[in-house]
Amino acid sequence: NPQLMMQVCKDGGHEYGSEVWVPFGKIGEYRRRAAYRRLGRARDWVFRFRCTDPVYVVFVAAWGRYGKG
């Protein structure tokens, strides 16, 4: 089962947080998602991704919620 790793940097690419790994499905499992929640707040986000297996990875969409307070 392939795993997708994400690291988040909240200061524009200077220091990254710890790696968070999630499974995202084998070839043919089209409805499987990699979801990362509770990332916190910042202004200058930079994301780093890495995959464990040599599979074709496509980012279809990414979204975030913005709100005050």
Side-chain angles (χ1 to χ4, degrees):
N1 196 14
Q3 300 274 318
L4 186 66
M5 181 276 298
M6 180 183 71
Q7 283 182 294
V8 178
C9 175
K10 297 179 182 180
D11 60 3
H14 297 285
E15 293 189 29
Y16 286 86
S18 58
E19 298 178 349
V20 180
W21 292 88
V22 296
F24 71 100
K26 299 174 186 169
I27 292 176
E29 291 182 322
Y30 298 110
R31 295 192 174 270
R32 192 73 188 259
R33 296 184 193 183
Y36 296 94
R37 292 175 172 47
R38 301 183 61 116
L39 298 176
R41 295 162 53 156
R43 290 179 185 248
D44 296 325
W45 294 81
V46 179
F47 298 94
R48 182 186 297 173
F49 294 95
R50 187 169 52 202
C51 182
T52 58
D53 296 354
V55 294
Y56 187 64
V57 178
V58 176
F59 291 94
V60 175
W63 65 273
R65 186 179 349 201
Y66 173 77
K68 292 185 177 183

